[in-house]
């Protein structure tokens, strides 16, 4: 492989890993901080991606769009739209226990995907939306490497904000709800209100990840938001990296996306008669990786650590 091709592949790999890192940190806000079992990540991912695409693409008679707004407006719209959907779903499901919440969210995510697939006037249905431009055309950032820098900037921004939230009194209440909900309620905290806030924040971050994905890939179709890509991989990334730890979420995204990519290269080497089994083999390999990590490091590669301020007080 030529050096230029290798560098291009590396840039594409890191960009995808960065987008998945944003999604994984959104899930960490819901599950790692609060213990909310959301299996509908793909739904918020899709809402963010399609919202940004509709806001920024040129006019088209095939679907709602033609607004031609700037890239950043698309991302803001993606974040707000996912937060709004999260608010509606969260108000309905805020009091559900873990297993019921999982069932509800996976059903809602599938409803969103089918809505996108069938409402041609809004999303162009199975034909999808093409021509989603990358930002800052005509500038040095209008390149794959420039877009990687943009994705890294958003990863750092989301990480910084979530770390501040994790160490704040609000974050302590979320962890208290996760560890002992009855005791937290007995302390006078509104469990439903805090759970709803964490759910909406996580949904908004997932929508941001969807917007970044839309502008990187340049084309959207309902198949991109199948549960395998939009939910299963994100969960493996968080569990493998370390639930409750934002650095673990980022590391898990890079490691698991690396393994997922390598499995594609490996299965490409199989004889053609085994090509149809390749997809199942890749999922199997990811499952084996998850089992190994759970057995050897049950809390993930980077276990959750108490905030620095709390750790310093304990030393004193």
């Amino acid at each position: 492989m030529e050096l230029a091709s290798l560098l291009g592949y590396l840039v594409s790999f890191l960009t995808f890993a960065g987008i998945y890192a944003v999604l994984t940190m959104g899930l960490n806000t819901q599950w790692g901080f609060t213990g909310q079992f959301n299996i509908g990540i793909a739904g918020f991912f899709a809402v963010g991606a399609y919202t940004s695409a509709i806001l920024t693409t040129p006019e088209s008679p095939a679907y709602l769009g033609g607004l031609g707004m700037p890239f950043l407006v698309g991302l803001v719209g993606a974040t707000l739209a996912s937060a709004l959907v999260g608010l509606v779903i969260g108000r309905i499901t805020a009091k559900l226990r873990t297993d019921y919440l999982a069932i509800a969210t996976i059903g809602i995510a599938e409803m969103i995907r089918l809505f996108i697939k069938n409402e041609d006037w809004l999303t162009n249905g199975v034909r999808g939306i093409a021509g989603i431009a990358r930002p800052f055309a005509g500038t040095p950032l209008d390149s794959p490497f420039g877009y990687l820098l943009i994705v890294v900037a958003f990863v750092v921004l989301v990480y910084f904000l979530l770390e501040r939230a994790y160490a704040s009194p609000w974050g302590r209440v979320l962890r208290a709800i996760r560890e002992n909900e009855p005791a937290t309620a007995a302390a006078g905290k509104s469990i439903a209100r805090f759970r709803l806030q964490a759910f909406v924040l996580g949904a908004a971050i997932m929508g941001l990840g969807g917007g970044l994905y839309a502008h990187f890939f340049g084309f959207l179709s309902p198949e991109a938001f199948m549960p395998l890509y939009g939910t299963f991989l994100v969960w493996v990334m968080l569990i493998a990296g370390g639930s409750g730890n934002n650095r673990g979420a980022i590391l898990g995204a890079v490691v698991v996306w690396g393994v997922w990519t390598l499995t594609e290269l490996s299965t490409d080497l199989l004889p053609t008669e085994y090509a149809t089994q390749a997809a199942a083999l890749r999922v199997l390999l990811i499952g084996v990786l998850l089992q190994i990590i759970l057995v050897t490091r049950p809390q993930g590669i980077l276990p959750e650590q108490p905030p620095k301020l709390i750790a310093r007080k304990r030393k004193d």
Side-chain angles (χ1 to χ4, degrees):
M1 183 179 292
E2 297 179 359
L3 180 60
S5 300
L6 182 61
L7 290 176
Y9 178 80
L10 182 61
V11 168
S12 176
F13 168 81
L14 291 176
T15 305
F16 265 118
I19 293 170
Y20 268 109
V22 172
L23 290 171
T24 309
M25 285 191 284
L27 176 62
N28 193 40
T29 305
Q30 296 175 342
W31 170 253
F33 289 6
T34 324
Q36 296 183 92
F37 196 19
N38 175 16
I39 313 184
I41 304 163
F44 303 110
F45 184 24
V47 169
Y50 272 92
T51 301
S52 189
I54 290 171
L55 288 175
T56 59
T57 48
E59 184 177 0
S60 172
Y63 59 90
L64 182 66
L67 301 178
M69 293 185 176
F71 166 71
L72 292 178
V73 174
L75 290 188
V76 171
T79 305
L80 293 178
S82 296
L84 180 61
V85 174
L87 177 63
V88 174
I89 297 174
R91 289 187 66 86
I92 298 171
T93 62
K95 294 183 179 179
L96 294 180
R97 298 181 65 84
T98 300
D99 43 359
Y100 294 104
L101 177 61
I103 295 170
T105 51
I106 194 172
I108 292 170
E110 191 62 11
M111 289 169 59
I112 292 174
R113 192 181 69 82
L114 293 175
F115 178 83
I116 290 172
K117 186 175 182 179
N118 291 288
E119 297 299 326
D120 291 9
W121 64 274
L122 180 63
T123 63
N124 205 23
V126 295
R127 292 179 292 278
I129 298 178
I132 307 169
R134 287 182 182 168
F136 308 118
T139 69
L141 290 176
D142 185 19
S143 66
F145 182 72
Y147 197 74
L148 171 62
L149 295 180
I150 293 172
V151 171
V152 170
F154 276 101
V155 170
V156 173
L157 176 65
V158 172
Y159 171 79
F160 174 76
L161 294 177
L162 288 183
E163 282 293 295
R164 295 295 299 268
Y166 182 79
S168 69
W170 181 76
R172 290 198 292 272
V173 174
L174 295 186
R175 296 197 300 280
I177 293 173
R178 180 192 65 190
E179 299 297 332
N180 195 327
E181 187 173 313
T184 309
K189 303 298 181 183
S190 173
I191 303 298
R193 182 162 60 89
F194 280 97
R195 282 167 62 94
L196 178 61
Q197 292 171 357
F199 192 85
V200 172
L201 177 60
I205 295 172
M206 293 171 190
L208 174 64
L212 291 171
Y213 172 84
H215 290 276
F216 174 63
F217 207 65
F219 174 75
L220 294 178
S221 74
E223 300 305 313
F225 306 101
M226 297 289 286
L228 171 63
Y229 305 107
T231 298
F232 173 72
L233 282 180
V234 180
W235 265 103
V236 175
M237 289 168 179
L238 181 60
I239 299 302
S243 177
N245 188 331
N246 289 310
R247 275 179 282 184
I250 297 173
L251 178 62
V254 175
V255 170
V256 173
W257 185 247
V259 173
W260 181 256
T261 305
L262 289 175
T263 58
E264 183 179 19
L265 297 176
S266 303
T267 52
D268 286 344
L269 300 177
L270 293 173
T272 52
E273 58 267 28
Y274 296 110
T276 55
Q277 287 84 15
L281 180 61
R282 295 179 68 189
V283 177
L284 175 64
L285 291 174
I286 289 292
V288 170
L289 170 69
L290 181 61
Q291 291 296 323
I292 293 173
I293 292 176
L294 288 176
V295 170
T296 57
R297 297 185 68 85
Q299 296 179 327
I301 301 172
L302 293 178
E304 183 178 5
Q305 299 290 334
K308 292 182 179 178
L309 289 177
I310 294 176
R312 192 178 300 123
K313 287 180 180 178
R314 285 177 178 172
K315 289 179 180 177
D316 295 339

